[in-house]
Amino acid sequence: MSKVHVNRPAVVRYAERIKKWRTVKGNWQAAWFLKAVTCIDLTTLSGDDTPSNVYRLCFKAKHPIREDLLKALDMHDKGITVGAVCVYPARVTDAVNALKAAGCNIPVASVAAGFPSGQTPLETKLAEIKLAVEYGAREIDIVVSRSLVLTGQWEGLYEEIRQCREACGEAHMKTILATGELGSLTNVYKASMIAMMAGSDFIKTSTGKEVENATFPVGVVMMRAIREFYWKTGNKVGFKPAGGIRTAKEAITWLMLVKEELGVEWLTPELFRLGASSLLEDIEKQIFYHVTGSYALQHDLAMA
């Protein structure tokens, strides 16, 4: 790991080309939109979250696109839902109950381990993870201690993530690297590899609370790390860009990048997620326009 170096100018040049990729059109575009919907972690991480807005979020998770729009696309019977619902540990029980009442099996993901700063003692992080799992979370999004990365304590980082993985038990663990605060793309690559070595099921770009969140240069570096890890171990680790992904066009570009770097087998909710709170609204608006030929008014679509 000490010999790893990332050629930043080359990565940035490649990322600039990604932004200019031409997107698909027509029915193909609608199909990619629906694929993106199935990979969304529909998220609410606000200080004013209440049971009522968590219930509304869960209803939207089960019915992400209006039924008549899906019928027009002949997709109403395909069971299209989002990938997961993501909340704070204190709201996990509300989400589990709401989804159970709705009669669906969408997993509840919970942030934990001192989210978003990671500046809490390890004992507290482990206790928070165990509580979230106890409340019914089937996926845990932990956040790494940036100080361990910035000071080069790689073995300490490995041990912390390993203990978090142990605390998750049967739950899937997504490790948030908070890439905007790691200082360099080389650190992003090293942290990605160590998170995977320690047992992460997914690696995730950001908490969504940093100044810089999911960017294409960071995404390329993390996906190359995933590919390298797969070549060396045979283990497939998932990828989740999160923070700042607000438009349907951006979502398609991320899907295209994953297909380009990791292959079609990664384009499933088991290996790819989009962390977003407002993305679904824009995707539904684009599908509305594709089906009706007119733009949706504010009252046409249900709130997420």
Side-chain angles (χ1 to χ4, degrees):
M1 294 302 294
S2 60
K3 295 177 183 175
V4 168
H5 173 70
V6 174
N7 184 343
R8 181 181 176 83
V11 172
V12 170
R13 280 197 303 273
Y14 179 49
E16 287 301 315
R17 289 206 304 274
I18 292 165
K19 293 176 186 175
K20 296 173 185 173
W21 283 355
R22 293 180 65 184
T23 188
V24 287
K25 299 292 182 185
N27 286 337
W28 296 105
Q29 187 180 58
W32 280 82
F33 286 154
L34 293 177
K35 168 60 75 174
V37 167
T38 65
C39 295
I40 289 176
D41 277 2
L42 196 57
T43 304
T44 180
L45 295 169
S46 301
D48 58 357
D49 284 341
T50 61
S52 60
N53 71 307
V54 171
Y55 291 157
R56 186 177 69 228
L57 190 82
C58 291
F59 183 83
K60 188 67 175 175
K62 187 185 178 185
H63 306 281
I65 306 296
R66 235 172 59 176
E67 189 72 13
D68 60 318
L69 300 178
L70 289 176
K71 281 182 179 174
L73 297 168
D74 196 26
M75 294 296 287
H76 59 285
D77 56 350
K78 300 296 188 291
I80 290 176
T81 66
V82 301
V85 170
C86 185
V87 294
Y88 275 117
R91 301 268 72 88
V92 167
T93 305
D94 296 329
V96 169
N97 291 339
L99 291 168
K100 194 178 290 183
C104 62
N105 196 36
I106 299 170
V108 174
S110 172
V111 295
F115 180 94
S117 68
Q119 296 282 12
T120 53
L122 181 57
E123 294 79 11
T124 308
K125 292 181 180 183
L126 299 178
E128 189 177 29
I129 291 169
K130 288 173 183 174
L131 277 173
V133 173
E134 192 180 304
Y135 294 156
R138 286 156 53 190
E139 300 177 3
I140 302 294
D141 289 28
I142 70 158
V143 60
V144 300
S145 298
R146 276 73 111 192
S147 60
L148 295 175
V149 176
L150 295 170
T151 55
Q153 297 180 61
W154 303 112
E155 290 178 7
L157 179 67
Y158 171 88
E159 185 57 27
E160 179 173 288
I161 297 172
R162 187 196 65 77
Q163 288 189 46
C164 289
R165 169 66 267 183
E166 204 173 87
C168 287
E170 295 296 312
H172 280 154
M173 185 177 82
K174 307 190 201 91
T175 300
I176 306 169
L177 304 181
T179 54
E181 297 176 350
L182 295 189
S184 70
L185 291 178
T186 299
N187 279 347
V188 169
Y189 185 91
K190 289 180 178 180
S192 298
M193 289 299 283
I194 285 166
M196 291 186 285
M197 290 176 193
S200 302
D201 297 294
F202 268 76
I203 52 174
K204 176 178 170 182
T205 58
S206 324
T207 64
K209 310 289 187 184
E210 295 99 59
V211 175
E212 185 180 272
N213 294 294
T215 64
F216 292 129
V218 159
V220 169
V221 169
M222 291 175 70
M223 283 186 240
R224 296 280 171 96
I226 289 171
R227 193 166 69 190
E228 180 91 359
F229 187 75
Y230 174 59
W231 285 347
K232 289 186 174 178
T233 67
N235 294 327
K236 291 180 179 177
V237 175
F239 173 64
K240 178 179 174 181
I245 304 171
R246 295 185 177 88
T247 67
K249 185 177 185 299
E250 286 175 295
I252 287 186
T253 305
W254 278 107
L255 285 165
M256 290 167 70
L257 182 57
V258 169
K259 181 176 180 288
E260 187 80 12
E261 290 290 330
L262 297 172
V264 177
E265 62 266 36
W266 255 266
L267 290 179
T268 67
E270 289 73 36
L271 289 170
F272 178 67
R273 296 286 180 82
L274 288 158
S277 51
S278 56
L279 170 62
L280 180 57
E281 182 183 350
D282 190 62
I283 290 178
E284 193 174 15
K285 283 178 180 176
Q286 297 302 324
I287 291 175
F288 185 96
Y289 180 78
H290 173 75
V291 170
T292 67
S294 60
Y295 292 102
L297 300 175
Q298 193 170 9
H299 61 266
D300 284 327
L301 305 172
M303 290 172 64

